[in-house]
Amino acid sequence: GQNIDQPTEMTATEGAIVQINCTYQTSGFNGLFWYQQHAGEAPTFLSYNVLDGLEEKGRFSSFLSRSKGYSYLLLKELQMKDSASYLCAVVDSNYQLIWGAGTKLIIKP
Amino acid sequence: NAGVTQTPKFRVLKTGQSMTLLCAQDMNHEYMYWYRQDPGMGLRLIHYSVGEGTTAKGEVPDGYNVSRLKKQNFLLGLESAAPSQTSVYFCASSHGKREVDEQFFGPGTRLTVL
C-alpha cells in the first residue's frame, strides 16, 4: 500500500528553527510537494522536489532523499503567522498525489 | 483574477437530500479536482478531470458524481447524502501542460449531513 507519515503536531518558539519530517512508501515516485494550510483555509503551494538535495526559498527550505523515502521542510526565523498545518504529498507512478495527514505547527511567543 | 472559487461555503443537509457543489476557475487550467478532507486524514481525491467533457474516478468516488461541461467549471453532486459524507470539500485546478503541476485550491465547502 501507499503511505505518507508526518508527525501530527509540533510546537516551536517564535524566532527559532523547526524541521518537519515526511517519510513515504509509494508505488513509484515523481516528486514531492509541500503545502501550507492555515486553519479554515485552502492549502497553498510551498515547494516541489524531484531530485535529491536541498532547495531554499527564503525562510523555507525543502530537502529530499529518494533512496531513503524521506523529505523535510525547514522553517527558519519562525513567525506567529507560520502557525498552520504543513501537508506533504507524493506524486506516484500514475501521477496522482498521495497526501499525508499533515503536521500542525504551533508557534509560541 | 479570482483564482479558484467554490459555492456554497457552508451547507447542512439531511440524510437522503441531494446537492451540487460548484467550482469555478479563471486561470484557463485544463485539470480540475475534487478532494475531501477529514480530521486526521490526508486529502483524498474523489473525482478529477483532465479537460472539458472528461471525468475520471479518484480514490473515493462512491456516492458522488461530477460533470465538466465547461472548461472553467467542475461540479460535484451528491445524489443521496449520508452522514459519512460530512467533510470539507476542496476543489483544485492545475495547468495540465506538464506531467506534474502545482495545484491551486479553492477556499473549501464545509458540508454537514445530519
Side-chain angles (χ1 to χ4, degrees), chain B residues 33-107:
Chain B
Y33 314 82
W34 276 107
Y35 290 95
R36 60 179 288 172
Q37 187 175 43
D38 300 294
M41 302 181 72
L43 287 162
R44 291 183 292 168
L45 184 64
I46 304 171
H47 286 280
Y48 65 100
S49 168
V50 299
E52 181 179 315
T54 74
T55 63
K57 294 181 180 180
E59 180 188 356
V60 289
D62 294 343
Y64 305 95
N65 57 75
V66 288
S67 64
R68 182 107 181 263
L69 298 179
K70 292 183 178 181
K71 185 177 183 178
Q72 62 267 33
N73 295 337
F74 195 28
L75 277 63
L76 178 72
L78 285 73
E79 291 181 344
S80 180
S84 60
Q85 294 178 304
T86 293
S87 187
V88 180
Y89 291 86
F90 285 101
C91 176
S93 70
S94 63
H95 288 288
K97 296 192 189 311
R98 298 173 299 184
E99 287 176 319
V100 180
D101 265 325
E102 167 193 353
Q103 292 184 14
F104 296 80
F105 285 81

Side-chain angles (χ1 to χ4, degrees), chain A residues 3-86:
Chain A
N3 196 47
I4 311 284
D5 283 319
Q6 308 179 232
T8 302
E9 188 174 294
M10 299 181 70
T11 302
T13 304
E14 190 177 16
I17 299 172
V18 71
Q19 178 176 310
I20 302 173
N21 296 325
C22 171
T23 57
Y24 61 89
Q25 289 179 310
T26 57
S27 58
F29 180 84
N30 284 297
L32 185 145
F33 284 93
W34 284 98
Y35 278 77
Q36 180 189 59
Q37 185 178 24
H38 285 101
E41 298 184 8
T44 55
F45 170 80
L46 287 177
S47 67
Y48 171 68
N49 295 65
V50 66
L51 299 176
D52 289 351
L54 184 69
E55 294 213 2
E56 298 184 72
K57 194 186 291 186
R59 293 189 299 113
F60 291 12
S61 301
S62 55
F63 171 83
L64 175 67
S65 169
R66 288 173 298 174
S67 62
K68 295 182 179 177
Y70 168 70
S71 173
Y72 68 73
L73 183 68
L74 191 71
L75 290 72
K76 302 177 184 176
E77 301 170 13
L78 286 169
Q79 302 175 9
M80 298 304 292
K81 68 178 181 180
D82 298 330
S83 292
S85 289
Y86 292 85

